[in-house]
Amino acid sequence: MSETYKDRQWKTLDKDLKRLSRVEIAAQTVSRPLLGVGVSLAFIVIAALGAALVTGNTPGMLFVVAAAAFGAYMALNIGANDVANNMGPAVGANALSMAGAIAIAAICESAGALIAGGDVVSTISKGIIAPESVADSATFTWAMMAALLAAAVWVNIATWIGAPVSTTHSVVGGVLGAGVAAVGIAAVNWSTMGAIALSWVISPVLGGVIAAGMLAFIKWRVVYRDDKIAAARTWVPVLIGVMAATFATYLALKGLKHLFDVTIGHAVVIGVVVGIASGLGAVPLIRRQSRGLENRNRSLKLLFAAPLVISAGLLSFAHGANDVANAVGPLAAIVHAQQAGEIAGKVAIPVWVMVIGAFGISFGLVLFGPKLIRMVGSQITKLNPMRAYCVALSAAMTVIVASWLGLPVSSTHIAVGGVFGVGFFREWHAERRLRRANLTKPGAKRLGPEERRRRKLVRRSHFMTVVAAWGVTVPATAVLSGGMFLAISALQ
């Protein structure tokens, strides 16, 4: 039967509708990044307007408004970059969905910042520049604004290229560069800078070694046992107790110390008590959860999923309590300098400043966090709940060890170093098992260099990108900040 004119019209209409659908889908895809940028700009404007309403028509109001906008921008970038280190392993191990991870992190980060966030911060960012060397409050304000903006721009660039960097080191570099441009190189506390440079190596190495050691222990005591479920019933409650003890100590040192005075000894006692109670309480839960499970590795992953989710939430709470000062510390310093007309070594953080930091971190995470979460969680090396659990636990344990030794460390470097540690341990372990298999089979085929490269379990390109970004963070932000301060000074 020949095709009628009406049928041809319907076919033409169907084709046109399909084209329109494809155009609509393309437009939505293009507009998603613009939506994030639009919401971010709206938040920055709201933060600036809020600062104007709170400060009122007082001297220096314009400085405070501009600083509030820069602080909001920095908080957005911390949420987009830094928080991925806490949630990436849990998402990569499929213990949490992306939406679930973002929801938990946003709640825990905000709670940590608002409940246990530092009420007093150092205005010169860990004593890098001597306060008495700054001539006046105006010079100090411009230096802090340049430092804050330079740090935010650098973290933004790092997020765009997919490199998790330390926001603490970004602020340090910003303060260093602006301070040198403002008052000269003689004002720099080089012993502090040396300790910070040392932490570039200590943080990831220590995090990686502890994470690899934990994974080796789990393989030795649980994975390679004939009865994996029986071994898990014995050791998983112990590991949960260790996790609870570690995080209780971690939170006491890095978060609760802002509420009351906590020494390392007090924190350890708190951790031991909480750990024993948690371990004993986990025994019946693990026994109940393990009933009917098959004697295979997949069953073990189920037993580690819940502790991993809890540890990720606790890490986010502690991160919000500790790192919110990176966003609002310089802002609080500017507010104090403008309102009091003096430069103080330490200043109190106003509530409205803390709110900007807390909500900015959450917005940055929701809008831009998934990119870094995927990179940390699944693109460096393949993670499962057991491996991701080792990463989370090593992050908390490394901070405790570093605090005990008095070493400045970066939570970003520790967490990502833990991921690398787990990945390199898997490579070493696989190579070791392969050599053993070849020894037991004399006629077995030897692997060539190309095959060995193909079997690498850590992506070398990501490893080099991250290491390079870590190495240039302080110099890059210092150059940016110094250039911004000199440009501002030239315009005055």
Side-chain angles (χ1 to χ4, degrees), residues 65-104:
V65 169
F70 294 164
Y73 177 43
M74 181 61 177
L76 287 166
N77 283 293
I78 290 176
N81 192 294
D82 228 18
V83 181
N85 309 313
N86 304 325
M87 285 296 162
V91 173
N94 295 320
L96 274 175
S97 65
M98 181 66 74
I102 288 174
I104 292 173

Side-chain angles (χ1 to χ4, degrees), residues 236-238 240-241 244 273-288:
V236 171
V238 174
I240 289 175
V273 172
V274 172
I276 292 173
S278 300
L280 293 175
V283 171
L285 295 176
I286 295 299
R287 289 187 179 277
R288 191 181 310 119

Side-chain angles (χ1 to χ4, degrees), residues 72-150:
Y73 177 43
M74 181 61 177
L76 287 166
N77 283 293
I78 290 176
N81 192 294
D82 228 18
V83 181
N85 309 313
N86 304 325
M87 285 296 162
V91 173
N94 295 320
L96 274 175
S97 65
M98 181 66 74
I102 288 174
I104 292 173
I107 293 170
C108 292
E109 288 278 341
S110 299
L114 295 174
I115 295 172
D119 57 350
V120 175
V121 294
S122 170
T123 61
I124 315 291
S125 189
K126 304 185 186 301
I128 296 167
I129 302 295
E132 62 274 9
S133 64
V134 183
D136 53 63
S137 60
T139 301
F140 173 79
T141 297
W142 285 119
M144 286 294 104
M145 289 180 70
L148 189 55
L149 182 57

